[in-house]
Amino acid sequence: MTTANLLVELFVEELPPKALKKLGEAFANALAESLVAQGLAAADILKATSGAVTNFASPRRLGAHVTGVLARAADKPVSTKLMPVSVGLDVSGRATPALLKRLAALGADASAVASLRREGEGKNEALFHDSIAAGISLADGLQKAIEAAMAKLPIPKLMTYQLEDGWNTVNFVRPVHGLVALHGAVVVPVSVLGLQAGRETQGHRFEACVSPVAIQSADSYAAQMQDEGAVIASFAARRAEIVRQLEAAAAPLGLKPVEDDALLDEVTALVERPNVLPGRFDEAFLSVPQECLILTMKANQKYFPLLDATGKLTNRFLIVSNIAPADVSAVVGGNERVVRPRLADAKFFFDQDRKKTLDSRVLGLAKVVYHNKLGTQGERVTRVQAIARAIGEKLGGEALALKADQAALLAKADLLTDMVGEFPELQGIMGRYYAQHDGLPDDIAFAIEDHYKPRFAGDDLPRSEVGVCVALADKLETILGMFQIGELPTGDKDPFALRRHALGIIRLCSEKNLPLSAPDFLELSASAFASDTSVFDARLKEDALSRGKSFAIATVKRNVSNESKIKVLDFIFDRLSGALRDQGFTAHEIDAVLALRPPVLADIPKRLAAVSTFAALPEAPALAAANKRVGNILKKADGEVGAAADPARFVEAAEIALFAALGEIAPQADAAFDAGDYTASLQALAALKAPVDAFFDQVMVNADDPALRANRLALLSQLHRTMNRVADISRLAA
């Protein structure tokens, strides 16, 4: 069988830039998978490390290059079960009408009866027809592969457009105007969306050297497109070229472009021949917070702002152009003119917002709906205030509680500013700037910004205790409220980011080493929903009376049920389990610790480290198995098991020895546990292996004498409590 490399390209109108990378990868992967499934390519090409499948994706094309594709798939032996022998053959061994009809359906006749194969014995004996299925041709297989790949593209919305014949309409992400399909240097006769495959395509809209570009072979495609078509067809190669040019343009200035993978991907999807050019703006705009300027340049203009060595924004930026004229002044000048009104808008918003204090905006939150089942943003802020105040009281007394209360009150006020209205991504950040402008202390100002943290995996945590209190309160209020009204995450859908909030709670408690009990902080959070007092009630009443109007308090209590609290706790522990697996702990170790539902989340990493150390001890497997056995015995025991054994009732030497060992080891393990030294607490248990083994070898727990049996069960109950304070070590048993 001869093989050659395959190229497929769809030449299309401009594709959606934010989806281009995924479209290119999905098209190439689906095409290769279909070829492998049809036997036209080896399964090894699907390995990511093979480099056998290359995807091409630019604003006006989707393509794939696949190595080692057969012109025709190999023939395959096919074995078809026909029917039981008793049905297919009569008593004299001749074919029945049912068998002949079945053979005819397979394209065989009566002459095939003699070659039928029998398998099985007795009533299970059946007839099988063996044949050779001809391998599919590349033309037929590629036709199926292209259609399958197009059908699998992650396209949220299709376009319907008319073909050139003026009669037929088709659907695709964007209108397709050309199709290239080459096996080596040979055109593969396939068609799609009314187009016949050829070898000609179009290069850069303005800078191609020739038009059309006639592709000589599958392997010459990338080079020809770059040399003749002025297009870097590979998304990855084009992205790398942009990175190279950005760094080269910034280096002579002693500056560094902002790092933003999403922006880089989007710009890569907007150009076919990148050309990076430097631009600048008026330094007067640098009086605006740099987050505002950076965001407007990135979001609206797709520029790369330049930072100095300290990370401070300069008045320079880089443009990624799709053309390379001899005189770039018109391109640079045009971009500099366009960015000026954008920056002027940001400065205007900033100046206008500072004319009102954050505190004066708080009242307006009572008129903004948060959720139709959870009330206004004002009510939400009241709940967050109550939770933050309670957490602050537990962590730092009255002083911290008052600061947390004030920060929580102001945390959402920037939602009503013009800047955040224009750029929602700046919520919290602008609140911090406006708080500092209002003269508030830094711990309050930074808490306003930090209460959204962590926003994503690996993000920084709040910088101060005040920020920790408000961040934890905000996340607890969100999760409890959404669970109470049934807005739970399902599958890959999590519109309120509850999974992220749960991980944020876990990180805050663990990494900040907060001595808070999870059930306790859920309880105090739930109590905030039942409160019927609100700072907004008082402020709204005062405002109404000052304007000579009446006011009636109409705050609605929204109690959180016990069921919702239990579900939230389960949800947090479920997310914790996944996070711990990502940190490298084994499923057995995680299960052992979380089985006890340790109330203080900050303790869990320390418990896991102790369990991991304990599991490596030679005594661990036997103790885990014994603990599992003890647990099973206690579960099956009739009636209530005593808390402590009576040494006067012991009969066997082994139970006396186990009681004595427990009397010596339990205080050591308990003291280490109480001191927070979980490793020492578990390691102390190693000395119990010998007396435990001897006990189960020599002592009958379920003795006929009820008093003796009850005493032995009480001894096992003592053992079980001692062994399972840090973790349920029975979960370590294989």
XYZ file of all heavy atoms in Angstrom, residues 379-461:
636
model
N -29.527 44.484 49.787
C -29.779 43.389 50.731
C -28.596 42.430 50.776
O -28.228 41.913 51.834
C -31.049 42.651 50.329
C -32.324 43.462 50.545
C -33.551 42.715 50.072
O -33.847 42.776 48.861
O -34.199 42.065 50.909
N -28.018 42.187 49.603
C -26.855 41.299 49.563
C -25.701 41.882 50.376
O -25.043 41.166 51.137
C -26.427 41.092 48.109
C -25.256 40.148 47.952
C -24.726 40.148 46.534
N -23.656 39.192 46.369
C -22.766 39.227 45.393
N -22.842 40.176 44.476
N -21.812 38.325 45.298
N -25.452 43.178 50.206
C -24.375 43.823 50.955
C -24.625 43.725 52.456
O -23.703 43.490 53.244
C -24.222 45.293 50.517
C -23.380 46.080 51.518
C -23.585 45.363 49.138
N -25.886 43.851 52.858
C -26.219 43.725 54.275
C -25.844 42.338 54.798
O -25.315 42.193 55.903
C -27.724 43.974 54.488
O -28.036 45.285 54.043
C -28.093 43.845 55.952
N -26.127 41.320 53.989
C -25.785 39.948 54.407
C -24.265 39.762 54.472
O -23.737 39.167 55.422
C -26.416 38.945 53.436
C -27.941 38.939 53.458
C -28.502 37.754 52.707
N -28.286 37.822 51.268
C -29.150 38.336 50.392
N -30.288 38.851 50.815
N -28.884 38.337 49.093
N -23.572 40.260 53.453
C -22.111 40.143 53.450
C -21.521 40.888 54.641
O -20.577 40.409 55.286
C -21.528 40.678 52.120
C -19.995 40.694 52.172
C -22.001 39.833 50.942
N -22.081 42.044 54.948
C -21.636 42.809 56.128
C -21.745 41.980 57.405
O -20.803 41.895 58.202
C -22.508 44.048 56.293
C -21.933 45.337 55.747
C -22.773 46.508 56.184
O -23.906 46.662 55.730
N -22.235 47.323 57.065
N -22.901 41.362 57.577
C -23.137 40.592 58.807
C -22.160 39.428 58.911
O -21.614 39.142 59.994
C -24.581 40.087 58.830
N -21.921 38.763 57.797
C -21.002 37.615 57.804
C -19.571 38.086 58.049
O -18.841 37.510 58.862
C -21.103 36.843 56.474
C -22.523 36.314 56.265
C -20.110 35.679 56.456
C -22.793 35.788 54.862
N -19.157 39.139 57.336
C -17.793 39.653 57.497
C -17.556 40.126 58.922
O -16.477 39.911 59.498
C -17.555 40.797 56.507
N -18.552 40.768 59.497
C -18.436 41.260 60.880
C -18.262 40.086 61.845
O -17.416 40.132 62.745
C -19.680 42.075 61.225
C -19.587 42.826 62.541
C -20.703 43.873 62.664
N -22.027 43.286 62.448
C -22.826 43.592 61.422
N -22.434 44.473 60.505
N -24.020 43.037 61.284
N -19.032 39.021 61.642
C -18.938 37.857 62.527
C -17.584 37.160 62.375
O -16.974 36.742 63.368
C -20.073 36.884 62.208
N -17.108 37.038 61.137
C -15.798 36.416 60.916
C -14.697 37.280 61.524
O -13.764 36.771 62.160
C -15.559 36.206 59.402
C -16.526 35.160 58.862
C -14.115 35.781 59.132
C -16.489 35.003 57.354
N -14.799 38.598 61.335
C -13.811 39.498 61.913
C -13.767 39.401 63.423
O -12.689 39.440 64.029
N -14.945 39.259 64.049
C -15.015 39.121 65.504
C -14.271 37.873 65.960
O -13.538 37.901 66.962
C -16.480 39.042 65.933
C -16.698 38.982 67.431
C -16.391 40.293 68.128
O -16.750 41.358 67.583
O -15.773 40.226 69.207
N -14.421 36.787 65.206
C -13.760 35.531 65.585
C -12.255 35.587 65.360
O -11.481 35.002 66.117
C -14.363 34.372 64.787
C -15.739 33.930 65.273
C -16.242 32.737 64.476
C -17.532 32.185 65.059
N -17.340 31.562 66.392
N -11.833 36.282 64.300
C -10.411 36.280 63.949
C -9.613 37.372 64.652
O -8.419 37.196 64.900
C -10.243 36.437 62.431
C -10.754 35.298 61.549
C -10.502 35.619 60.079
C -10.078 33.984 61.919
N -10.254 38.518 64.943
C -9.470 39.617 65.494
C -10.201 40.519 66.455
O -9.755 41.647 66.710
N -11.336 40.069 66.937
C -12.052 40.870 67.917
C -12.802 42.041 67.308
O -13.003 42.131 66.097
N -13.199 42.985 68.176
C -14.063 44.090 67.772
C -13.409 44.991 66.726
O -14.069 45.474 65.806
C -14.440 44.912 69.013
C -15.415 46.058 68.744
C -16.781 45.576 68.277
O -17.120 44.388 68.533
O -17.508 46.374 67.665
N -12.098 45.229 66.851
C -11.412 46.143 65.923
C -11.482 45.621 64.488
O -11.810 46.360 63.553
C -9.958 46.329 66.351
N -11.168 44.342 64.307
C -11.219 43.756 62.971
C -12.654 43.671 62.476
O -12.929 43.892 61.289
C -10.571 42.367 62.977
C -10.527 41.626 61.632
C -9.801 42.457 60.580
C -9.857 40.261 61.790
N -13.580 43.391 63.379
C -14.987 43.284 62.987
C -15.495 44.609 62.423
O -16.221 44.640 61.421
C -15.837 42.855 64.182
N -15.112 45.730 63.049
C -15.566 47.043 62.580
C -14.997 47.370 61.210
O -15.687 47.916 60.336
C -15.169 48.119 63.592
C -15.930 48.106 64.924
C -15.335 49.119 65.900
C -17.412 48.402 64.688
N -13.725 47.047 61.003
C -13.112 47.310 59.692
C -13.735 46.427 58.615
O -13.980 46.884 57.488
C -11.603 47.067 59.764
C -10.847 48.127 60.535
C -9.348 47.919 60.438
C -8.591 49.051 61.117
N -7.120 48.900 60.972
N -13.967 45.147 58.932
C -14.593 44.242 57.976
C -15.996 44.717 57.630
O -16.431 44.643 56.468
C -14.640 42.822 58.549
N -16.701 45.244 58.627
C -18.051 45.766 58.408
C -18.023 46.946 57.434
O -18.825 47.021 56.496
C -18.642 46.195 59.747
C -20.056 46.735 59.605
O -20.993 45.934 59.688
O -20.208 47.955 59.406
N -17.085 47.864 57.632
C -17.006 49.035 56.763
C -16.596 48.649 55.344
O -17.167 49.138 54.363
C -16.003 50.047 57.326
C -15.943 51.343 56.512
C -14.933 52.336 57.056
O -14.116 52.000 57.921
N -14.971 53.570 56.563
N -15.603 47.754 55.222
C -15.155 47.330 53.890
C -16.265 46.604 53.144
O -16.454 46.802 51.934
C -13.924 46.434 54.018
N -17.020 45.765 53.848
C -18.121 45.035 53.208
C -19.214 45.991 52.745
O -19.818 45.796 51.685
C -18.693 44.005 54.179
N -19.466 47.035 53.521
C -20.487 48.018 53.147
C -20.126 48.710 51.834
O -20.989 48.950 50.986
C -20.631 49.053 54.265
C -21.561 50.243 53.965
C -23.005 49.772 53.821
C -21.438 51.303 55.052
N -18.839 48.984 51.630
C -18.394 49.739 50.459
C -17.955 48.853 49.296
O -17.695 49.361 48.199
C -17.220 50.652 50.850
C -17.491 51.677 51.956
C -16.204 52.399 52.320
C -18.558 52.665 51.517
N -17.879 47.550 49.530
C -17.251 46.650 48.552
C -17.931 46.659 47.190
O -17.278 46.507 46.159
C -17.206 45.219 49.105
N -19.251 46.824 47.162
C -19.986 46.767 45.893
C -20.366 48.149 45.358
O -21.002 48.249 44.304
C -21.268 45.944 46.068
C -21.066 44.533 46.613
C -20.270 43.675 45.667
C -20.116 42.252 46.225
N -19.280 41.393 45.361
N -19.958 49.207 46.052
C -20.391 50.546 45.658
C -19.853 50.943 44.291
O -20.487 51.718 43.566
C -19.952 51.565 46.713
N -18.679 50.428 43.911
C -18.131 50.831 42.610
C -18.910 50.257 41.432
O -18.692 50.641 40.281
C -16.643 50.466 42.505
C -16.384 48.969 42.480
O -17.317 48.197 42.765
O -15.246 48.568 42.168
N -19.856 49.343 41.697
C -20.705 48.837 40.619
C -21.551 49.953 40.008
O -22.021 49.833 38.873
C -21.626 47.723 41.137
C -20.945 46.446 41.639
C -21.988 45.476 42.180
C -20.135 45.791 40.537
N -21.745 51.024 40.760
C -22.572 52.136 40.292
C -21.747 53.253 39.651
O -22.294 54.298 39.304
C -23.387 52.705 41.457
C -24.343 51.715 42.139
C -25.060 52.382 43.296
C -25.352 51.174 41.137
N -20.441 53.034 39.486
C -19.597 54.060 38.869
C -19.603 53.921 37.355
O -19.865 52.842 36.807
C -18.145 53.962 39.374
O -17.597 52.688 38.983
C -18.090 54.098 40.893
N -19.296 55.015 36.675
C -19.249 55.002 35.206
C -18.152 54.081 34.693
O -18.323 53.392 33.690
C -19.010 56.417 34.674
C -20.204 57.331 34.917
O -21.318 56.808 35.108
O -20.022 58.564 34.926
N -17.009 54.072 35.374
C -15.877 53.264 34.902
C -16.216 51.781 34.932
O -15.962 51.053 33.967
C -14.643 53.533 35.760
C -13.389 52.854 35.237
S -12.740 53.597 33.739
C -11.817 54.969 34.438
N -16.786 51.312 36.019
C -17.137 49.892 36.117
C -18.313 49.569 35.208
O -18.406 48.469 34.662
C -17.434 49.503 37.583
C -17.953 48.071 37.681
C -16.176 49.668 38.424
N -19.198 50.553 35.003
C -20.279 50.342 34.052
C -19.752 50.096 32.654
O -20.296 49.290 31.897
N -18.656 50.776 32.295
C -18.040 50.603 30.978
C -17.158 49.363 30.935
O -17.113 48.636 29.945
C -17.201 51.835 30.633
C -16.512 51.794 29.274
C -17.470 51.927 28.109
O -18.639 52.326 28.332
O -17.072 51.629 26.967
N -16.436 49.120 32.041
C -15.507 47.983 32.111
C -15.796 47.166 33.376
O -15.186 47.387 34.424
C -14.057 48.468 32.144
C -13.642 49.258 30.934
C -13.391 50.619 31.042
C -13.514 48.651 29.696
C -13.009 51.358 29.937
C -13.131 49.375 28.579
C -12.884 50.730 28.692
N -16.742 46.235 33.313
C -17.086 45.440 34.502
C -15.894 44.676 35.080
O -15.882 44.350 36.271
C -18.149 44.470 33.969
C -18.709 45.140 32.759
C -17.584 45.903 32.156
N -14.896 44.401 34.236
C -13.716 43.669 34.725
C -12.967 44.441 35.808
O -12.156 43.854 36.545
C -12.743 43.394 33.568
C -13.337 42.607 32.416
C -13.886 43.510 31.316
O -14.362 44.630 31.628
O -13.846 43.101 30.154
N -13.228 45.756 35.915
C -12.502 46.593 36.873
C -13.191 46.709 38.227
O -12.729 47.465 39.092
C -12.292 47.989 36.286
C -11.389 48.064 35.045
C -11.353 49.483 34.512
C -9.981 47.577 35.368
N -14.296 45.983 38.428
C -14.971 46.079 39.722
C -14.032 45.609 40.828
O -13.284 44.657 40.666
C -16.265 45.271 39.719
C -16.128 43.802 39.389
C -17.486 43.131 39.238
O -18.138 42.831 40.228
N -17.897 42.904 38.006
N -14.051 46.286 41.912
C -13.117 46.008 43.005
C -11.851 46.834 42.853
O -11.434 47.529 43.786
N -11.239 46.770 41.679
C -10.020 47.556 41.435
C -10.335 49.047 41.535
O -9.643 49.806 42.222
C -9.434 47.211 40.050
C -8.958 45.753 40.025
C -8.288 48.153 39.705
C -8.545 45.260 38.657
N -11.415 49.471 40.849
C -11.775 50.888 40.910
C -12.280 51.260 42.302
O -12.056 52.385 42.770
C -12.833 51.208 39.850
C -12.356 51.030 38.417
S -10.717 51.748 38.082
C -10.972 53.461 38.505
N -12.936 50.320 42.956
C -13.372 50.583 44.317
C -12.206 50.933 45.213
O -12.291 51.832 46.069
N -11.082 50.244 45.015
C -9.881 50.539 45.806
C -9.362 51.953 45.507
O -9.047 52.721 46.425
C -8.807 49.504 45.504
C -7.562 49.619 46.389
C -6.363 50.193 45.659
N -5.921 49.322 44.600
C -4.887 49.608 43.810
N -4.235 50.753 43.952
N -4.535 48.787 42.847
N -9.282 52.318 44.227
C -8.795 53.659 43.875
C -9.706 54.747 44.449
O -9.236 55.751 44.991
C -8.718 53.815 42.354
C -7.467 53.215 41.740
C -7.534 52.051 40.985
C -6.223 53.828 41.914
C -6.399 51.499 40.415
C -5.069 53.285 41.347
C -5.165 52.118 40.596
O -4.036 51.584 40.042
N -11.012 54.538 44.320
C -11.944 55.555 44.804
C -11.922 55.636 46.330
O -12.081 56.722 46.910
C -13.355 55.266 44.291
C -13.469 55.352 42.782
C -14.278 54.477 42.068
C -12.745 56.300 42.061
C -14.378 54.544 40.681
C -12.832 56.378 40.679
C -13.650 55.493 39.992
O -13.728 55.577 38.629
N -11.730 54.498 47.004
C -11.640 54.505 48.468
C -10.404 55.276 48.920
O -10.455 56.053 49.890
C -11.604 53.073 49.000
N -9.292 55.073 48.227
C -8.076 55.809 48.569
C -8.264 57.304 48.309
O -7.797 58.143 49.079
C -6.890 55.263 47.768
C -6.455 53.872 48.224
C -5.375 53.275 47.344
O -5.379 53.458 46.131
N -4.449 52.538 47.953
N -8.966 57.627 47.220
C -9.251 59.035 46.933
C -10.126 59.653 48.019
O -9.987 60.840 48.356
C -9.939 59.166 45.572
C -10.324 60.565 45.214
N -11.587 61.078 45.464
C -9.612 61.589 44.666
C -11.631 62.335 45.060
N -10.451 62.676 44.569
N -11.017 58.840 48.601
C -11.900 59.326 49.671
C -11.193 59.412 51.014
O -11.804 59.808 52.016
C -13.119 58.407 49.807
C -14.023 58.446 48.579
O -13.867 59.366 47.758
O -14.865 57.534 48.437
N -9.928 58.991 51.058
C -9.160 59.095 52.296
C -9.310 57.921 53.237
O -8.945 58.025 54.410
N -9.838 56.822 52.767
C -10.001 55.644 53.630
C -8.657 54.953 53.839
O -7.771 55.012 52.977
C -10.999 54.673 53.000
C -12.443 55.178 52.922
C -13.299 54.216 52.119
C -13.019 55.351 54.317
N -8.468 54.253 54.967
C -7.208 53.542 55.224
C -6.946 52.474 54.154
O -7.880 51.940 53.549
C -7.434 52.893 56.599
C -8.589 53.619 57.195
C -9.438 54.096 56.074
N -5.681 52.170 53.964
C -5.308 51.198 52.933
C -5.912 49.819 53.178
O -6.265 49.115 52.231
C -3.786 51.081 52.840
C -3.190 52.201 51.990
O -3.961 52.915 51.323
O -1.950 52.339 51.997
N -6.010 49.390 54.446
C -6.547 48.048 54.682
C -8.012 47.964 54.260
O -8.473 46.924 53.771
C -6.353 47.598 56.136
C -6.887 48.603 57.151
O -7.378 49.674 56.736
O -6.814 48.291 58.357
N -8.749 49.065 54.379
C -10.136 49.096 53.896
C -10.145 49.135 52.369
O -10.878 48.386 51.712
C -10.891 50.327 54.442
C -10.917 50.320 55.975
C -12.307 50.377 53.871
C -11.750 49.234 56.582
N -9.309 50.013 51.790
C -9.281 50.168 50.329
C -8.865 48.871 49.645
O -9.503 48.432 48.674
C -8.319 51.302 49.954
N -7.810 48.246 50.133
C -7.347 47.012 49.502
C -8.330 45.864 49.724
O -8.437 44.959 48.889
C -5.955 46.639 50.010
C -4.853 47.454 49.381
C -4.115 48.347 50.138
C -4.581 47.348 48.031
C -3.118 49.119 49.564
C -3.568 48.101 47.434
C -2.840 49.003 48.207
N -9.045 45.886 50.834
C -10.068 44.860 51.069
C -11.180 44.951 50.027
O -11.731 43.932 49.594
C -10.644 44.999 52.474
N -11.520 46.173 49.604
C -12.548 46.350 48.573
C -12.099 45.697 47.269
O -12.877 45.027 46.593
C -12.834 47.851 48.372
C -13.500 48.430 49.631
C -13.702 48.080 47.144
C -13.645 49.942 49.614
N -10.831 45.886 46.913
C -10.310 45.246 45.693
C -10.172 43.740 45.881
O -10.530 42.952 44.995
C -8.950 45.833 45.331
C -8.311 45.151 44.122
C -6.951 45.721 43.756
O -6.511 46.717 44.386
O -6.323 45.176 42.837
N -9.675 43.339 47.045
C -9.298 41.938 47.249
C -10.465 41.020 47.552
O -10.296 39.804 47.558
C -8.280 41.838 48.390
C -6.922 42.425 48.012
O -6.731 42.736 46.824
O -6.079 42.579 48.916
N -11.646 41.569 47.826
C -12.727 40.673 48.258
C -13.196 39.756 47.130
O -13.890 38.772 47.378
C -13.894 41.474 48.847
C -14.896 41.959 47.863
N -14.733 43.108 47.120
C -16.101 41.461 47.497
C -15.784 43.288 46.348
N -16.631 42.306 46.562
N -12.800 40.045 45.888
C -13.121 39.143 44.785
C -12.100 38.010 44.657
O -12.316 37.067 43.912
C -13.158 39.908 43.464
C -14.327 40.854 43.320
C -14.164 42.229 43.464
C -15.598 40.375 43.039
C -15.227 43.104 43.333
C -16.674 41.241 42.909
C -16.483 42.602 43.052
O -17.549 43.446 42.917
N -10.987 38.127 45.353
C -9.914 37.146 45.204
C -10.188 35.894 46.030
O -10.841 35.975 47.070
C -8.576 37.765 45.626
C -8.130 38.907 44.716
C -6.807 39.484 45.199
C -6.332 40.630 44.289
N -5.059 41.199 44.759
N -9.681 34.725 45.590
C -9.006 34.515 44.307
C -10.015 34.420 43.165
O -11.033 33.743 43.286
C -8.275 33.189 44.510
C -9.105 32.449 45.508
C -9.677 33.501 46.414
N -9.726 35.109 42.057
C -10.637 35.134 40.920
C -10.485 33.904 40.044
O -11.376 33.561 39.276
C -10.387 36.382 40.066
C -10.658 37.708 40.775
C -10.221 38.865 39.888
N -10.338 40.163 40.556
C -11.281 41.045 40.300
N -12.194 40.795 39.388
N -11.318 42.201 40.923
N -9.305 33.263 40.109
C -9.024 32.108 39.258
C -7.950 31.261 39.932
O -7.353 31.681 40.940
C -8.558 32.563 37.863
C -7.448 33.590 37.898
C -6.123 33.205 38.025
C -7.742 34.941 37.831
C -5.107 34.139 38.073
C -6.727 35.894 37.876
C -5.406 35.496 37.999
N -7.715 30.075 39.402
C -6.718 29.173 39.979
C -5.342 29.839 39.954
O -4.906 30.349 38.929
C -6.680 27.869 39.195
N -4.673 29.836 41.100
C -3.349 30.427 41.179
C -3.335 31.912 41.456
O -2.266 32.521 41.587
N -4.522 32.537 41.565
C -4.586 33.972 41.829
C -4.132 34.258 43.257
O -4.177 33.399 44.142
C -6.025 34.465 41.625
C -6.128 35.987 41.639
O -5.093 36.649 41.447
O -7.237 36.506 41.839
N -3.674 35.504 43.473
C -3.264 35.914 44.816
C -4.462 35.934 45.756
O -5.612 36.114 45.333
C -2.642 37.312 44.776
C -1.331 37.339 44.003
O -0.682 36.284 43.926
O -0.979 38.408 43.475
N -4.189 35.787 47.042
C -5.210 35.903 48.073
C -5.212 37.344 48.611
O -4.276 38.103 48.365
C -4.926 34.914 49.201
C -5.009 33.424 48.829
C -4.691 32.569 50.051
C -6.365 33.071 48.272
